[in-house]
Amino acid sequence: MRYLLFAFILWAQPILAQNIRVDRREAKQAYNYLNDFRMNPKKYGRQIRVNNLRNVKQTKLVWNDKLAKVAEERAKDMARRNYFDHTDPDGYGPNYHISQAGYTLNPDWLKKRSTNNFESIGANHDTAIEGIQSFIIGKGSPGFMHRKHMLGLDAWNASLKDVGIGFVRVKKGAAYKTYLCVLIAKHDW
């Protein structure tokens, strides 16, 4: 019993900041890869063995510094507080964090503090590109929601234009060695 209590106390402790490294180069490479994939879905789909990509929204996403900062902070927070969820331990979701950063959202999208209309998260990928590929392949994603988000496969996701990506590496102490957060959003419907 003492061991379990000790293990829980260690697990509940925040990860020290020096153990978390933001990798902006990886984030930008993932952004470029995602846009390349959207522009040529047949080619990139073949490379990762994904078919049926007829409805990919073939428009480039635009890097947004506010979204990138939020994505980076979300990835760091998951690593630091050792959780993996769209809702942080305080009960706030991505829409709240996006709005707090000054990216204007429709007020209807902020009525519930845990709402997520714009975020895909991944963990334990060696690179951010591998994370994007995993989203598109659909591993661990019910109903291929991440694929729809990444590639704009439905009306809602096709309307999203701005993107920010955060990727962090954790030396030790967290449940995962990397955390990826992709925010693809828009200001209004």
Side-chain angles (χ1 to χ4, degrees):
M1 184 68 172
R2 277 188 182 161
Y3 174 76
L4 289 175
L5 180 59
F6 180 71
F8 176 76
I9 290 169
L10 284 178
W11 174 80
Q13 296 297 315
I15 307 304
L16 297 175
Q18 64 262 27
N19 288 327
I20 301 169
R21 183 175 63 86
V22 173
D23 195 333
R24 290 187 183 109
R25 186 179 64 81
E26 277 292 329
K28 281 294 192 149
Q29 287 177 345
Y31 162 71
N32 291 327
Y33 176 82
L34 180 56
N35 270 330
D36 290 345
F37 200 111
R38 288 172 70 114
M39 294 298 99
N40 197 342
K42 286 183 182 179
K43 172 186 171 186
Y44 286 92
R46 275 192 305 272
Q47 290 175 357
I48 62 172
R49 296 187 177 110
V50 172
N51 299 317
N52 194 17
L53 295 173
R54 289 184 290 275
N55 297 328
V56 172
K57 182 70 173 174
Q58 289 184 283
T59 59
K60 286 194 175 196
L61 297 168
V62 177
W63 186 264
N64 181 283
D65 287 332
K66 287 180 184 176
L67 291 178
K69 182 68 174 164
V70 173
E72 189 175 284
E73 290 301 319
R74 294 273 301 131
K76 282 177 17 185
D77 188 58
M78 284 187 281
R80 185 177 56 81
R81 296 202 280 175
N82 205 16
Y83 72 96
F84 183 72
D85 201 322
H86 293 293
T87 304
D88 69 24
D90 303 317
Y92 294 99
N95 290 17
Y96 170 83
H97 293 290
I98 291 167
S99 178
Q100 290 298 113
Y103 186 94
T104 307
L105 295 177
N106 182 315
D108 287 341
W109 304 337
L110 299 168
K111 287 182 178 176
K112 188 175 175 188
R113 71 182 192 167
S114 62
T115 301
N116 173 28
N117 295 105
F118 308 112
E119 180 182 76
S120 290
I121 57 174
N124 246 13
H125 301 288
D126 289 334
T127 68
I129 289 174
E130 286 180 16
I132 298 293
Q133 290 170 337
S134 179
F135 291 151
I136 294 168
I137 290 168
K139 290 181 182 174
S141 176
F144 298 103
M145 293 304 296
H146 288 127
R147 182 186 296 177
K148 289 178 184 177
H149 186 223
M150 293 298 110
L151 302 179
L153 294 178
D154 58 15
W156 170 259
N157 287 298
S159 72
L160 307 179
K161 308 287 187 228
D162 297 332
V163 66
I165 299 174
F167 187 75
V168 300
R169 298 182 186 280
V170 184
K171 290 181 186 175
K172 61 182 177 178
Y176 302 106
K177 63 183 178 179
T178 63
Y179 293 82
L180 170 66
C181 179
V182 179
L183 296 171
I184 305 175
K186 64 178 177 179
H187 292 287
D188 208 343
W189 180 247

